[in-house]
Amino acid sequence: MRGRGTQLRNWAAVKLLGLLLAGCATATLDQAGSLRSYDNMVQSDGMLTRSQLRVSKDEVLAAKTVRIIPTVFSEKTPAPFTPAQRRLVTNAADRALCAGLSERFYVVASEPADLTVQAVITHVVPTDPTAVGVSKGVSVAKTILLPGVPVPVPRIPVGLGSLSLEAEARDPAGQQKAAMVWGRNANAFDTGRMSEEGDAYGLAASFGGDFSQMLVTGVTPFGGVPTMPSMQRLGFLLGGAPKYPACEAFGRAPGLVGMIGDSAGVPPDWTDKGPVAARTE
């Protein structure tokens, strides 16, 4: 009986984990037609992410400089966000790309570069702010009713957002040297923000980290041993100056204020000023 009780508890734990992660493996991998080619791409999924990719390892590792063309929404993608919300999402991807690529490449603004990178958002599902608000309420109730008890409170797995993108790196002749089609759903363990763009904003940064890692290492970013970011990159993510001036175009990361805002679930625009260009419009 004791053994059967243990089996039942394990089964319940697995089912609960499956429920909390529901949808994380179903993000779409739409093709918007922005890539030079979709040939020879292979499936390479992570624990939470679906992707198809190809990378010319030797040629990518030989590159020394990189230029980032700002991320855009595909014209085929429905517009669930305001222009300001879209800017925050696309800029989150670009900022993460710039931070990650700076680990090995010299990032330039408009000068010729060995590689030119651009990402396109192909699909997005907005977050349900009400569901996030309910989850935050449950978290607050736990803090009041069970003070000091280190029990995480997952989000209610309802109204979770998702994001899909495609991106490539091209050489000066326009030839594709690396490409990725990427999709991920938010899950119950993501903090969640009470705004329609909340999950897309966080997922965009995750994409930027994955794609930049592929270019830095020349291999898939999924399935390997995680690497520690440099102190300079950590400083940038905490709101410090970027390694290269070209990254200033994407604005400083919200840093500690952003972390507090993320924990509280406030909309991204409460803590993130977005790209520099948007502040002069």
Side-chain angles (χ1 to χ4, degrees):
M1 289 294 291
R2 183 179 302 173
R4 182 165 179 79
T6 300
Q7 290 179 342
L8 288 172
R9 285 194 297 271
N10 291 339
W11 179 85
V14 170
K15 295 297 287 184
L16 176 59
L17 181 61
L19 175 63
L20 295 176
L21 293 178
C24 67
T26 59
T28 63
L29 295 181
D30 295 345
Q31 295 182 2
S34 71
L35 303 186
R36 293 292 193 275
S37 172
Y38 294 86
D39 296 338
N40 302 317
M41 299 186 78
V42 297
Q43 198 76 24
S44 182
D45 296 340
M47 183 178 295
L48 301 173
T49 307
R50 297 179 64 209
S51 82
Q52 297 170 354
L53 58 85
R54 67 169 295 270
V55 55
S56 300
K57 181 176 180 179
D58 292 341
E59 292 171 285
V60 165
L61 293 182
K64 303 299 183 184
T65 58
V66 66
R67 181 167 65 99
I68 300 171
I69 298 176
T71 300
V72 297
F73 276 75
S74 167
E75 294 181 356
K76 301 177 182 178
T77 303
F81 303 147
T82 67
Q85 290 171 326
R86 284 183 164 218
R87 278 196 298 268
L88 280 173
V89 173
T90 56
N91 192 67
D94 294 332
R95 184 188 288 146
L97 279 170
C98 216
L101 293 171
S102 295
E103 294 284 78
R104 185 173 72 81
F105 295 93
Y106 184 93
V107 183
V108 302
S110 57
E111 304 92 322
D114 297 329
L115 294 175
T116 297
V117 171
Q118 184 176 28
V120 174
I121 293 175
T122 59
H123 185 81
V124 62
V125 174
T127 306
D128 182 344
T130 302
V132 176
V134 171
S135 296
K136 294 299 178 184
V138 172
S139 180
V140 171
K142 175 263 172 187
T143 303
I144 295 173
L145 297 174
L146 298 173
V149 180
V151 179
V153 180
R155 283 171 63 181
I156 298 172
V158 174
L160 303 175
S162 71
L163 189 70
S164 301
L165 304 92
E166 61 184 25
E168 67 182 353
R170 302 184 296 272
D171 68 9
Q175 297 300 308
Q176 183 187 87
K177 298 304 174 185
M180 177 185 284
V181 180
W182 184 101
R184 179 171 164 181
N185 279 25
N187 64 75
F189 295 103
D190 289 327
T191 306
R193 288 176 178 262
M194 291 177 281
S195 61
E196 292 182 336
E197 79 280 15
D199 287 324
Y201 172 80
L203 294 173
S206 297
F207 160 78
D210 288 342
F211 190 73
S212 61
Q213 184 179 339
M214 183 176 73
L215 295 184
V216 166
T217 62
V219 297
T220 176
F222 308 112
V225 178
T227 58
M228 287 296 294
S230 66
M231 292 302 295
Q232 193 283 328
R233 183 179 179 184
L234 284 173
F236 178 48
L237 295 175
L238 289 172
K243 185 176 182 179
Y244 299 113
C247 294
E248 288 281 12
F250 308 119
R252 300 288 178 91
L256 181 59
V257 173
M259 294 178 188
I260 295 173
D262 186 40
S263 178
V266 301
D269 62 357
W270 285 30
T271 57
D272 192 337
K273 297 179 181 179
V276 172
R279 302 174 202 171
T280 60
E281 293 180 358

